[in-house]
Structure formats: C-alpha cells, structure tokens
Amino acid sequence: MLWVAAAAEDQLEHISAHCAPGRLHPGIFTAALPEAAAEAAALGICRRAPAMSPLLHNWSVRSVRPA
C-alpha cells in the first residue's frame, strides 16, 4: 500500500518493514534531497496510505525519523 501512496515527486526507491504487535515500522528510502525533502516525502507517503485504503482507515502515523 505504501508503494501505491507514493507520488512521483517522492522519488521513492525502496521500502522495508519491521513488524511488532500493533505496529509497523517502515523504512522508506527516497532520492529526494535535501534531508528535509526526504522526510517530507516519507511522511506524505505514510499519511496518504491510510487515507487511500479502507483496510488501513484506523492506522495513524506517530513519527517520522531518519535512521
């Protein structure tokens, strides 16, 4: 679903995910520069995905932090 939520301007390159009970920790890699643009792209993707899918309507984004 995250791939579907990505826009061309996000410059998405790769997504990885780690799951825990009640949580999903995606790693989103973009070619967007500078770092603030990459963080904004990741946040946009993570916010659009639940808005686009009825299956994810109860999901929310708690934070976006670079690794």
Side-chain angles (χ1 to χ4, degrees):
M1 196 66 206
L2 293 173
W3 275 104
V4 172
E9 59 269 13
D10 295 326
Q11 300 180 40
L12 181 61
E13 292 190 350
H14 178 76
I15 296 174
S16 64
H18 300 280
C19 298
R23 294 176 188 245
L24 173 68
H25 300 275
I28 297 176
F29 301 91
T30 75
L33 292 173
E35 186 175 322
E39 289 176 11
L43 181 59
I45 292 167
C46 289
R47 286 191 172 155
R48 286 190 299 268
M52 294 173 69
S53 172
L55 296 173
L56 303 178
H57 75 277
N58 287 328
W59 290 46
S60 63
V61 177
R62 295 193 69 194
S63 68
V64 174
R65 291 180 296 225

